[in-house]
């Protein structure tokens, strides 16, 4: 499935819990997905030869209260295994929540994964909000 | 080569700024070249295999012809011996020895050919492993590149907002407010549904003349007031 096809089907999707998506392919050829359960932190979807990658940039390291970075990292390391379907990572200076799926993943599974990732974003941010500037 | 180790070295070396190439482009070219080399080596090995297979078929045919010839001459030699033709039998024996030499040569050739085929099969397997390994390594590199691309545009916005303070908290508050709003609407919807149910029951009761009867309300009040006056 190309990113354009995925965008088309996501825009048409209506989840069991009333979740809907706003999906568009940017000029940089990244699929930007906003889930109705969290419209503040969009998910960026791209592909490699074997995987679909779903990335939600959370915040920059500079947004962490100085002196709190070590504690934040430790919390994230402990938290990551507990977060369903998504992992927490650092890309450059930006903390990200990300999920990876095989290219052959069925559309319904992709939609579910994106829905969960949007939900996870709120949970994860709530857990570390007190450490941010 | 392990791409992950190179990646970490690059990050430690400070190549973690947005837009900066984390992965050495040269390393990617080498991986891609190795994949192409291995693929063309496999293609030519498969061609050799085809050629060898036809040689093998020819050798097998020759060998079975020789075996048949040898058996035939052996039979004839025995017949000659039985007929007391010792000299003729000797000549046939010479012929058999010649054919057997020929057969041994061809058998040797066939064995060498088999060894060669096995070697080529092993080589193809090894090359295929190289290809798979390099493709996995390349996919790690691509993953990193894609993660970088997918993160880049948004993290630029983080920097561009200027007033970084409480950006995340504010966004969280907005999301939670919306979710609360949605929750409230859901509850309101449920309440309304419940009310409609109650109204239904009242209407049904009234229709059956059960419960409050409007007509007697006034006389009830009057009776209550009279009772208070006398009391």
């Amino acid at each position: 499935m190309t990113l354009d096809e995925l965008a088309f089907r996501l825009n048409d999707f209506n989840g069991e819990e009333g979740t809907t998506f706003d999906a568009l392919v940017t000029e940089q050829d990244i699929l930007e997905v906003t889930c109705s359960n969290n419209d503040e932190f969009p998910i960026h979807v791209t592909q490699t030869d074997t995987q679909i990658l779903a990335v939600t940039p959370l915040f920059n390291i500079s947004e962490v209260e100085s002196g709190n970075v070590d504690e934040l990292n430790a919390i994230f390391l402990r938290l990551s295994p507990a977060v369903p379907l998504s992992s927490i990572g650092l890309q450059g200076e930006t903390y990200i929540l990300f999920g990876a799926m095989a290219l052959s993943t069925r559309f319904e599974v992709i939609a579910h994964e994106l829905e969960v990732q949007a939900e996870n974003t709120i949970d994860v941010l709530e857990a570390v909000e007190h450490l941010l500037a | 080569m392990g791409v992950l180790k190179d990646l970490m070295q690059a990050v430690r070396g400070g190549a973690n700024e947005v837009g900066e190439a984390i992965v050495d482009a040269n390393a990617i070219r080498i991986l891609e070249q190795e994949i192409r080399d291995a693929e063309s080596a496999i293609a030519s090995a498969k061609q050799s295999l085809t050629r060898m297979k036809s040689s093998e078929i020819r050798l097998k045919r020759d060998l079975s012809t020789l075996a048949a010839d040898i058996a035939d001459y052996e039979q004839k030699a025995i017949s000659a011996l039985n007929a007391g033709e010792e000299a003729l039998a000797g000549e046939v024996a010479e012929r058999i020895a010649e054919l057997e030499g020929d057969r041994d040569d061809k058998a040797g050739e066939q064995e060498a050919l088999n060894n060669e085929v096995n070697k080529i099969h092993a080589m193809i397997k090894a090359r295929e492993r190289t290809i798979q390994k390099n493709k996995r390594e390349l996919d790690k590199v691509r993953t990193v590149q894609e993660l970088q691309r997918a993160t880049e545009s948004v993290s630029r916005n983080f920097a561009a907002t200027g007033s970084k303070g409480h950006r995340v908290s504010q966004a969280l508050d907005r999301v939670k407010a919306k979710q609360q709003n949605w929750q409230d609407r859901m509850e309101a919807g449920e309440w309304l549904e419940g009310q409609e149910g109650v109204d239904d029951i009242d209407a049904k009761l009234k229709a059956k003349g059960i419960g409050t009867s409007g007509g007697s309300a006034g006389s009830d009040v009057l009776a209550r007031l009279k009772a208070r006056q006398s009391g």
Side-chain angles (χ1 to χ4, degrees):
Chain A
M1 197 179 337
T2 66
L3 288 183
D4 284 310
E5 284 165 349
L6 185 55
F8 184 78
R9 294 191 65 181
L10 282 172
N11 283 321
D12 231 23
F13 179 79
N14 218 322
E16 276 175 33
E17 294 166 41
T19 310
T20 54
F21 295 105
D22 264 338
L24 68 101
V25 179
T26 68
E27 280 175 29
Q28 291 80 34
D29 209 28
I30 289 168
L31 175 60
E32 197 176 304
V33 181
T34 308
C35 184
S36 60
N37 65 9
N38 171 4
D39 56 0
E40 293 284 341
F41 297 89
I43 303 170
H44 290 194
V45 180
T46 66
Q47 290 180 338
T48 70
D49 291 340
T50 58
Q51 300 183 89
I52 301 168
L53 301 168
V55 184
T56 309
L58 300 176
F59 50 83
N60 195 281
I61 254 188
S62 64
E63 291 176 85
V64 183
E65 189 80 69
S66 60
N68 282 349
V69 173
D70 285 350
E71 191 185 343
L72 179 98
N73 288 341
I75 289 178
F76 272 168
L77 278 177
R78 287 176 203 284
L79 218 55
S80 197
V83 181
L85 301 178
S86 322
S87 312
I88 305 165
L90 195 54
Q91 168 57 54
E93 300 285 296
T94 307
Y95 285 94
I96 59 172
L97 194 69
F98 69 98
M101 293 161 267
L103 271 189
S104 56
T105 308
R106 272 193 305 124
F107 169 75
E108 287 73 16
V109 178
I110 297 175
H112 174 67
E113 184 120 3
L114 293 174
E115 199 177 341
V116 172
Q117 178 153 332
E119 195 66 49
N120 287 341
T121 305
I122 300 168
D123 290 348
V124 165
L125 285 173
E126 274 180 342
V128 297
E129 195 184 351
H130 64 288
L131 298 173
L132 302 181
Chain B
M1 78 180 263
V3 160
L4 287 183
K5 197 178 165 197
D6 287 354
L7 285 178
M8 281 306 104
Q9 267 161 2
V11 168
R12 271 206 297 274
N16 54 1
E17 287 303 313
V18 163
E20 209 170 320
I22 291 190
V23 184
D24 182 12
N26 214 27
I28 298 174
R29 270 197 293 278
I30 291 169
L31 281 174
E32 285 173 337
Q33 188 58 47
E34 277 180 6
I35 290 174
R36 277 197 297 274
D37 288 351
E39 276 169 348
S40 70
I42 287 176
S44 64
K46 282 183 174 163
Q47 274 182 344
S48 320
L49 271 184
T50 317
R51 274 200 307 276
M52 286 178 181
K53 193 70 198 169
S54 63
S55 301
E56 200 203 342
I57 291 167
R58 183 171 42 75
L59 277 173
K60 257 192 190 160
R61 200 175 44 230
D62 288 356
L63 278 170
S64 71
T65 310
L66 281 168
D69 283 354
I70 289 166
D72 187 38
Y73 277 120
E74 279 173 351
Q75 206 53 53
K76 284 172 176 157
I78 289 166
S79 304
L81 280 175
N82 288 342
E85 298 281 355
E86 190 92 8
L88 187 58
E91 271 178 56
V92 175
E94 292 276 317
R95 181 84 185 111
I96 289 172
E98 228 173 80
L99 287 172
E100 280 179 346
D102 215 6
R103 182 197 61 193
D104 291 348
D105 284 352
K106 298 247 185 216
E109 227 178 289
Q110 195 194 22
E111 201 188 319
L113 195 66
N114 274 339
N115 287 341
E116 205 56 37
V117 167
N118 288 340
K119 258 188 234 161
I120 288 181
H121 273 305
M123 195 272 270
I124 288 177
K125 266 198 189 129
R127 298 279 185 174
E128 272 167 355
R129 273 199 298 275
T130 306
I131 289 175
Q132 289 315 317
K133 185 173 167 292
N134 283 1
K135 280 188 173 167
R136 279 197 298 274
E137 294 289 289
L138 261 186
D139 205 56
K140 285 179 202 153
V141 174
R142 295 256 152 78
T143 302
V144 171
Q145 285 178 327
E146 287 303 306
L147 284 178
Q148 192 181 18
R149 243 163 47 80
T151 309
E152 203 170 317
S153 53
V154 171
S155 47
R156 275 214 189 102
N157 291 343
F158 291 170
T161 45
S163 59
K164 278 177 191 164
H166 309 302
R167 182 188 64 83
V168 171
S169 297
Q170 283 164 4
L172 271 181
D173 288 347
R174 285 195 296 272
V175 170
K176 281 189 270 185
K178 264 175 219 156
Q179 284 187 343
Q180 190 58 53
N181 196 4
W182 186 76
Q183 194 79 28
D184 291 349
R185 281 213 309 272
M186 286 275 290
E187 274 173 30
E190 276 165 21
W191 174 83
L192 193 65
E193 245 170 54
Q195 284 305 300
E196 278 161 3
V198 169
D199 287 351
D200 271 3
I201 289 171
D202 285 346
K204 277 182 198 161
L205 287 169
K206 204 173 174 184
K208 297 279 179 197
I210 301 167
T212 55
S213 57
S216 66
S219 53
D220 283 355
V221 171
L222 194 62
R224 198 171 71 228
L225 290 175
K226 277 181 181 165
R228 199 185 293 170
Q229 193 185 32
S230 64

